[in-house]
């Protein structure tokens, strides 16, 4: 058993959520949230911000920690148990550029209900629900986009 840790972000700009479309060797992989592996000596917030920037070209601000998702998958020689730590993040524009080296072919911002239905994995839909609820609470309290909040 291999244990792995990744961090990622639910990135929001003007109420819309940033998603990536992954297509590996013309095999449908699906729409996902940006995330990636923690590097040695890196803290989780730094990993989340770096991975969002690398995979989408978006320099997003971290608003708050959302929670952790867990899943397992098999590789030829072993099973990988993965923890993913998620952050609610804010972008400053609609700009995004998918990282081709990681087989991301498209990226873009989608309304909540569109993003929810596009996301391939149930655990990412659950994180999106939680993050979007936090976003709406912050917005209602006039704290979203208020830099004193960070």
């Amino acid at each position: 058993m291999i244990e792995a840790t990744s961090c990622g972000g639910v990135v929001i700009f003007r109420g819309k959520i940033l998603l990536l479309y992954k297509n590996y060797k013309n095999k449908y992989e699906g729409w996902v949230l940006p995330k990636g592996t923690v590097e040695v000596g890196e803290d989780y917030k730094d990993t989340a911000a770096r991975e969002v920037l690398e995979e989408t070209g978006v320099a997003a601000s971290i608003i708050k920690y959302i929670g952790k998702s867990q899943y397992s998958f098999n590789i030829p020689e072993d099973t990988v148990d993965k923890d993913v730590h998620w952050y609610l993040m804010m972008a400053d524009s609609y700009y995004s550029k998918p990282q081709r080296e990681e087989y991301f072919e498209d990226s873009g911002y989608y309304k909540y209900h569109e993003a929810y239905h596009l996301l391939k994995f149930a655990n990412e839909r659950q994180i999106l629900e939680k993050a979007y609820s936090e976003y709406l609470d912050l917005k209602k309290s006039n704290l979203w986009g208020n830099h004193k909040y960070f």
Side-chain angles (χ1 to χ4, degrees), residues 72-81:
S72 298
F73 60 93
N74 294 316
I75 56 172
E77 306 81 39
D78 214 335
T79 299
V80 178
D81 267 354

Side-chain angles (χ1 to χ4, degrees), residues 96-134:
S96 69
K97 183 179 190 291
Q99 184 183 23
R100 300 281 180 199
E101 304 78 42
E102 293 285 333
Y103 307 102
F104 294 117
E105 290 196 350
D106 197 5
S107 63
Y109 288 85
Y110 293 88
K111 291 177 183 171
Y112 172 78
H113 69 278
E114 294 168 332
Y116 185 87
H117 291 292
L118 282 171
L119 282 173
K120 181 177 183 181
F121 301 110
N123 58 2
E124 291 195 3
R125 288 193 293 273
Q126 288 174 320
I127 289 296
L128 173 61
E129 273 185 89
K130 196 170 175 187
Y132 202 75
S133 171
E134 294 281 352

Side-chain angles (χ1 to χ4, degrees), residues 5-149:
T5 304
S6 288
C7 299
V10 176
V11 181
I12 297 178
F13 182 68
R14 294 191 179 160
K16 293 187 176 179
I17 297 104
L18 179 61
L19 299 183
L20 285 160
Y21 179 76
K22 191 165 195 167
N23 188 352
Y24 180 67
K25 294 184 178 173
N26 291 325
K27 179 177 145 254
Y28 170 74
E29 296 275 325
W31 290 93
V32 294
L33 295 168
K35 67 177 179 306
T37 305
V38 177
E39 292 180 356
V40 177
E42 197 173 41
D43 83 13
Y44 291 172
K45 280 184 174 182
D46 292 340
T47 300
R50 176 182 55 76
E51 286 292 343
V52 166
L53 182 60
E54 285 176 7
E55 292 186 350
T56 69
V58 175
S61 306
I62 290 179
I63 308 300
K64 69 185 297 184
Y65 182 74
I66 293 299
K68 179 171 82 168
S69 60
Q70 297 171 293
Y71 60 95
S72 298
F73 60 93
N74 294 316
I75 56 172
E77 306 81 39
D78 214 335
T79 299
V80 178
D81 267 354
K82 187 169 243 188
D83 289 345
V84 184
H85 296 273
W86 295 99
Y87 293 87
L88 175 59
M89 300 170 85
M90 181 174 71
D92 59 4
S93 78
Y94 279 124
Y95 171 83
S96 69
K97 183 179 190 291
Q99 184 183 23
R100 300 281 180 199
E101 304 78 42
E102 293 285 333
Y103 307 102
F104 294 117
E105 290 196 350
D106 197 5
S107 63
Y109 288 85
Y110 293 88
K111 291 177 183 171
Y112 172 78
H113 69 278
E114 294 168 332
Y116 185 87
H117 291 292
L118 282 171
L119 282 173
K120 181 177 183 181
F121 301 110
N123 58 2
E124 291 195 3
R125 288 193 293 273
Q126 288 174 320
I127 289 296
L128 173 61
E129 273 185 89
K130 196 170 175 187
Y132 202 75
S133 171
E134 294 281 352
Y135 159 74
L136 292 175
D137 288 349
L138 290 170
K139 202 165 163 47
K140 202 182 324 180
S141 306
N142 284 321
L143 290 171
W144 184 257
N146 175 348
H147 288 281
K148 287 184 221 121
Y149 178 76

